[in-house]
Amino acid sequence: MRIFSDLDLNGDAPLRARPGLGEWGPGRVPSTRAKKWQRILVPLVALALAVGVFFLGRMFYLMLTGAQAMAL
């Protein structure tokens, strides 16, 4: 059972059914490899941003309350 769908959206469609397809493929469309990397990178970047915002908020909270900055 596959977790993700097939990233090749063209499938077995004939060339005449794919508008904008140039000699070497479509222009300005991410490749299948790029889409696979995006599926990995987007959640990691979102998690890193969430952790960064959390610790930034914690730092401001500790500064505003006068608590020790090194206290956990």
Side-chain angles (χ1 to χ4, degrees):
M1 174 183 263
R2 296 183 66 162
I3 296 175
F4 297 115
S5 62
D6 186 13
L7 297 178
D8 182 16
L9 299 178
N10 293 327
D12 294 332
L15 187 60
R16 66 181 179 276
R18 294 185 253 168
L21 192 62
E23 183 178 350
W24 294 102
R28 297 185 302 174
V29 174
S31 67
T32 303
R33 179 177 289 169
K35 288 185 237 180
K36 286 182 182 179
W37 275 108
Q38 287 174 0
R39 282 186 173 173
I40 295 170
L41 288 177
V42 167
L44 291 177
V45 169
L47 180 65
L49 285 173
V51 169
V53 167
F54 172 78
F55 281 110
L56 184 65
R58 183 178 182 274
M59 182 185 71
F60 284 135
Y61 172 76
L62 291 176
M63 287 171 44
L64 289 172
T65 58
Q68 292 283 335
M70 297 303 286
L72 294 176

